[in-house]
Amino acid sequence: MSEEDWEIVLEVFRGCLPRRGEKARDDRRFLEALHFFTLQNVSWRALPAEYGLWNTVWKRFSRLSNSGVFEAFFQSLAELSPRAHLVQMFDSTTVRAHVSAAGAKGGSKIRRLAGRAAASRPKSTSRPTSMGSHSPSI
């Protein structure tokens, strides 16, 4: 990102922060830490020291996430972009793979057995047979 882009992002981010509480010292370093975290797909403890203490970054992220700051931040950024309506985002909370995608047998055995039973002939009669034509011999 260019320095102009960073100025816009930081201005929007600071506008979305809650008014109360202590203000952070370096918002850019915090956002760069979040970018590194998501891009590299690492654990919080694996954040390089240049981003500060991992626990501090995590606590701030958790606090801001729970208060809805990131939703407001991304919404505000999207409103600034003339092409935001062309972009769609998917994440693991909205995308689920079909059972067969994992290679495992899918579906319920009960449903499969019920379907098979409906398609096949009965193995035995369920109604009682008439004994009236047979007479007992004495």
Side-chain angles (χ1 to χ4, degrees):
M1 286 177 38
S2 69
E3 289 301 316
E4 271 183 20
D5 293 337
W6 269 114
E7 287 177 23
I8 293 169
V9 166
L10 290 172
E11 185 178 335
V12 171
F13 182 71
R14 289 176 183 139
C16 295
L17 291 174
R19 302 285 178 235
R20 60 190 171 96
E22 182 182 339
K23 299 300 177 207
R25 292 175 189 86
D26 193 354
D27 291 327
R28 180 171 176 168
R29 187 171 75 166
F30 171 70
L31 292 174
E32 287 176 343
L34 294 182
H35 182 256
F36 181 87
F37 174 77
T38 55
L39 189 65
Q40 300 299 322
N41 196 23
V42 296
S43 68
W44 288 108
R45 291 177 185 263
L47 278 175
E50 66 191 67
Y51 298 117
L53 297 174
W54 70 267
N55 196 25
T56 305
V57 175
W58 175 80
K59 282 180 185 177
R60 184 173 183 202
F61 170 76
S62 178
R63 188 175 55 252
L64 294 178
S65 180
N66 289 337
S67 66
V69 167
F70 291 108
E71 286 83 2
F73 174 59
F74 291 124
Q75 180 65 36
S76 298
L77 284 178
E79 290 171 1
L80 291 175
S81 171
R83 294 179 296 277
H85 67 282
L86 300 175
V87 178
Q88 293 183 358
M89 294 291 291
F90 295 99
D91 63 6
S92 61
T93 60
T94 60
V95 178
R96 290 182 165 247
H98 190 270
V99 174
S100 62
K105 287 186 176 181
S108 172
K109 290 182 180 182
I110 297 170
R111 214 177 306 142
R112 200 171 325 144
L113 292 176
R116 192 178 297 159
S120 65
R121 292 182 12 203
K123 304 283 188 257
S124 63
T125 58
S126 59
R127 58 180 179 242
T129 56
S130 173
M131 299 279 293
S133 63
H134 298 218
S135 58
S137 55
I138 300 187

